[in-house]
Amino acid sequence: MRRTTHAAALTAALLASMVGGASAQQAASQNTVHDPGAHGPASHEVYFGAVLFEKLEWGVGLNGVPNIARWDGQAWYGTDYDKVWIKTQGEVERGRRAENAEVQLLYSRLIGYFWDFQAGVRYDPRPRPDRTYGVIGIQGLAPGLFEVDLQGFVSERGDLSARLELSYDIYVTQRLVLQPNLEVNVAAQRVPELGVNSGFNDIEAGFRLRYEFTREVAPYIGVNYTRRFGEAAKYAREEGGKAEGVEFVSGIRLYF
Amino acid sequence: MAEVTLSRRKMLAAGIAALSAPALPEVALAQPAIGRSMPREFNLAIENVTLNITGAPRPAVAINRSVPAPVLHFREGEEVIINVANRLRESTSIHWHGLILPSGQDGVPGISDGFQGIAAGETHQYRFPLVQAGTYWYHSHSGVQEQAGMYGPLVIDPIRPDPYGYDRDYIITLSDWTDENPHRIIRNLKRDPGYYNYNKRTAASLANELARAPNGQAREAIIRDRMMWGDMRMDPTDIEDVTGYTFLVNGRTPEQNFTALYRPGETVRLRFINAGAMSHFDIRIPGLEMTVVQAHGNNVQPVAIDEFRIAPAETFDVLVRPTNGRQFQILAESMGRQGFASASLATRDGMPMLPLPPHRERPLLTMADMGGNYGPKGLDRGTPRPEVDRPGHIAPMEDMGGMDHSGMGHGSGQGGMQGMDHSTMPGMNHGRMPGMNHGAPARGAGARPSTTGTPAMDHSNMPGMDHSNMPGMGRSSSLASDPGFRLAAATLPIASVPGAGLFRLAQASQGSMQGMDHSNMPGMDHSSMPGMGQQGGQPPRQQRQPARPTQQSTPRRDQRGAAPSAADHSAMGHGAPGTGQVGQVDTSAASAHAGHGGMAPPDPFAVNTGAPPGTRVLTYRMLRALSNPYPVREPNRVIEIRLTGNMERYFWAINGNRFSEAQPIVLNLGERVRMRFINETMMSHPMHLHGVWMQPQVGNGAQNPLLHTVSVRPGSTLDVDVEADAEGGWAFHCHMLFHMETGMMRKVEIRRQPRVASHG
Ligand SMILES: [Cu+2]
């Protein structure tokens, strides 16, 4: 009986998280911690959830690099061990439709003190043609306090690719946080229709300096550097973009 | 505002601040009994109220519209009926903390025999006899209602007067109030365990430290330390999980200045109760010495101290004698230094509070706290089936930054007392000091209990010892040795009191000290020795010139975990109290510690309040029970209670299993078990066992204190004996509310039928 309630709450929270941070927060706060009072202390699993938008930003490109809006967020809901996890990220160039967009729906299982194993599906509505992938990955905290998210993908056509995301929070003061981050995408084969190169496709590296007014709301500024390689760079140029570029970014980090 | 008279002595009441919204009607509390045979009846009503502590009205849960709840004032030997009306929209419960009563009356939903909580709208009747006396408290055992205001003091007058006199009697209920919804707090901690920590190490603080470092070596050490913590993915500043608290005394903020009245020369009893959900307090009354007379409701040999730390759920009763008519400040500083609870001792009411002192330095966790005593695994867990640790509960030892535990002498869990060679200490005759019990000699496997020695202390044979810091001995200035201090002999027939023999001995030894001039004794100072009840490794209170044996000139263990030398007793291998092999000199372990950054199993009894050198700080070792209802005997098994959890995901466990996935710990009625607490986490856990007393093996033999809660400090190992003399289901949990709520809890089942353990 409680299970169904949780399932409903879960769906609500997940849906809400898709729509946006604030409403998701409400859904989460209403549905996350059930009052254990009715059942004695901690006699059952506690369900809880959170929504994190690490990036919600606007990038101003230098030297003809187009201006870009970017998001990168995740939400989860579940118990200490088992969670449903949603990840989404993407970029929109000014005046164009979404250039890149992806959503992942994952099951997440705590497998060690610092690590979750995750598996599920990824759907990319952009670029066209849209594509669906199977995902398997590991997310957690590596020695040295690096946030790590390593994922492998297999597309519906059998194409293999992988992504590594690394970030690190340097607390300059108690509220001022400098976050270097790095994203690397590799693929096992070319996928011309998606502009995918065999081998390294792109590297994105940045610094973002945020101020945590609260743990929930932290505006930031930063620098983002992108570089595409080989044929991926060529595809980018053919699309009218650039293989390499630097932007100044400003945005807000939300964590509810 | 409910004022309930507490003592039939001169006065007084603990002021119970009813802080709830204006002019709430009072609910009738107690109907006086007509004749002793009739049980007295009390009515309690649980309601949602609005409470304004910080300036913002917030929802709270109150008992009889009062936070804290009204004082329940019982008498030993009587029977009480307590009707609890639940006017909430959720289930509730009340647990009588520290009371020895039938399981069914203990008030823990789902654990106490036949008790499933008090449903919304219902009234539940508790009924039990009071078989003890002392200071206790009561609180909700449902969800997070305790944090929301459901706690109150409970005092039981003894049939026979206490063996110490006092003129006034006050309850000092400490608590932590937050405007935040407690459920929200759990959620915040789960998504970010550092959510409330605004005292993290930062780049700015690093630059600061480096700038202050005297040389390159020091700078290197600072960097290495940071990297080590980073490698471990732990935070040395994680002292308190939750901040944003306002600390209260009897429901009053420091500004509201709860005042306990005294007349100069009177002896005042202060009953400290820590009803805080998540806060340890360091307590001192600048300018006054405190004499601890009761711990967790049980009388102890009076011990004079300057400060003590009180963990959540603990109670300590102290006597003070303010003389000069000035206003004294009762200061309770939270362990993480986020604030004070404070109150006053004054000759008249309504004085403004004295200005609060600056905070003491925030403690930092050390490598010792992290790498402590992991002890053996796989002892009798006390469960019907052996347990399997779930992954993710246990700190990953394999990648702990290259730290080597092999030399730490904790592999066997018996690593007591390495490196102490008493024979090299001139002028000390330990053979004549059984009562001081250095590391509990002869408590190891197969050895005889130490209490067979003569308990009397013959100090006359010990030249050159500083007795000033010895527990139970008092100092010339202390109440304990004050002739005016009314000891048992004056007030009651000793022979008829349980434990009176001990008491007489205590008096005798005190008497024998009176002719001694301690101040002129050269040389020896015990303050840095374990078992002497001083804070581990503290320099002596009084400076002494003459030659000190080198073994004793021990460096204080630095807060940052600077390497203790091989001679530092305070840091050496007291990890497994009462199990060490005395007389064995094992310096290899000690040097191994020094070899990797001064890691040593922490002394489980060390209390570092950050007090200046020489301050007398209470430790469990100083507590000597005045009476012990249990025979001294060896336990028939050892149950390993590993305190585990995941600091990163914020959940807590015992033996690698959260409450929701764990089996009960099964004890046989009548057996004595030794619970070996092994704290594998970086936080202190005040572990509370319902229904039966816990006797931490502090090395005082038959006088080991009887406690309802034992505080197990990070990385340490602590042995606690339990006489399983109360049948039924009992809750067993950490009393940090959010640790309990997220899994650090068990059911202990004491069964009549002996069961054959199904594990080897
Ligand atoms: Cu705890």
Side-chain angles (χ1 to χ4, degrees), chain B residues 242-518:
Chain B
V242 183
T243 60
Y245 279 128
T246 303
F247 299 109
L248 307 177
V249 171
N250 298 336
R252 298 197 198 176
T253 62
E255 293 74 25
Q256 290 168 325
N257 197 23
F258 172 82
T259 301
L261 295 175
Y262 77 94
R263 278 203 298 263
E266 282 180 332
T267 300
V268 182
R269 177 178 192 166
L270 300 173
R271 301 172 185 260
F272 286 95
I273 299 168
N274 187 351
M278 287 297 283
S279 306
H280 292 68
F281 293 99
D282 292 336
I283 295 170
R284 61 189 197 265
I285 310 176
L288 280 187
E289 177 184 82
M290 295 181 271
T291 301
V292 179
V293 292
Q294 196 179 86
H296 300 208
N298 293 308
N299 283 331
V300 295
Q301 268 190 34
V303 49
I305 55 155
D306 301 308
E307 294 190 10
F308 64 100
R309 172 168 291 172
I310 188 168
E314 289 193 302
T315 73
F316 290 102
D317 290 28
V318 307
L319 303 184
V320 292
R321 182 183 287 173
T323 50
N324 59 6
R326 63 171 252 239
Q327 183 180 1
F328 292 92
Q329 199 173 25
I330 302 168
L331 283 172
E333 186 176 14
S334 89
M335 184 168 73
R337 310 302 180 226
Q338 51 169 309
F340 287 96
S342 98
S344 282
L345 272 162
T347 50
R348 60 188 174 83
D349 218 342
M351 315 249 286
M353 75 154 176
L354 295 169
L356 292 170
H359 278 296
R360 284 187 175 162
E361 200 181 338
R362 264 186 118 249
L364 274 182
L365 293 168
T366 68
M367 286 295 159
D369 297 323
M370 171 73 234
N373 192 336
Y374 278 70
K377 292 194 170 132
L379 287 179
D380 180 354
R381 298 275 178 85
T383 54
R385 278 175 287 144
E387 289 179 299
V388 179
D389 295 334
R390 295 193 70 181
H393 278 289
I394 313 301
M397 292 297 293
E398 65 278 3
D399 42 16
M400 271 187 43
M403 297 191 316
D404 172 19
H405 298 272
S406 59
M408 293 181 55
H410 52 58
S412 67
Q414 305 253 339
M417 306 299 288
Q418 299 101 322
M420 283 191 69
D421 183 355
H422 297 151
S423 64
T424 61
M425 296 178 191
M428 289 179 61
N429 182 351
H430 289 87
R432 306 299 298 268
M433 298 172 63
M436 297 176 67
N437 221 342
H438 291 268
R443 306 221 105 234
R448 298 246 57 83
S450 64
T451 46
T452 50
T454 47
M457 302 183 193
D458 186 356
H459 299 104
S460 58
N461 289 340
M462 299 176 201
M465 291 182 59
D466 170 17
H467 292 103
S468 64
N469 293 322
M470 288 174 55
M473 305 300 293
R475 289 147 39 85
S476 56
S477 62
S478 75
L479 281 173
S481 60
D482 188 320
F485 184 79
R486 275 153 288 175
L487 287 166
T491 52
L492 74 163
I494 282 183
S496 62
V497 179
L502 301 174
F503 206 88
R504 225 186 265 126
L505 286 167
Q507 283 183 288
S509 63
Q510 217 174 299
S512 74
M513 284 179 65
Q514 271 159 13
M516 296 170 70
D517 183 359
H518 304 133

Side-chain angles (χ1 to χ4, degrees), chain B residues 602-665:
Chain B
D603 178 356
F605 302 114
V607 177
N608 188 352
T609 60
T615 309
R616 294 163 300 171
V617 181
L618 183 72
T619 74
Y620 285 165
R621 281 202 186 93
M622 292 168 155
L623 298 174
R624 292 165 174 278
L626 270 196
S627 69
N628 181 350
Y630 303 110
V632 174
R633 55 172 179 152
E634 286 299 305
N636 53 344
R637 55 192 175 124
V638 177
I639 296 179
E640 189 177 84
I641 307 290
R642 287 163 42 243
L643 307 178
T644 60
N646 189 320
M647 309 267 293
E648 185 59 27
R649 309 303 171 105
Y650 206 82
F651 57 89
W652 300 93
I654 291 172
N655 291 336
N657 289 287
R658 295 165 302 158
F659 182 53
S660 56
E661 61 204 356
Q663 300 170 38
I665 295 170

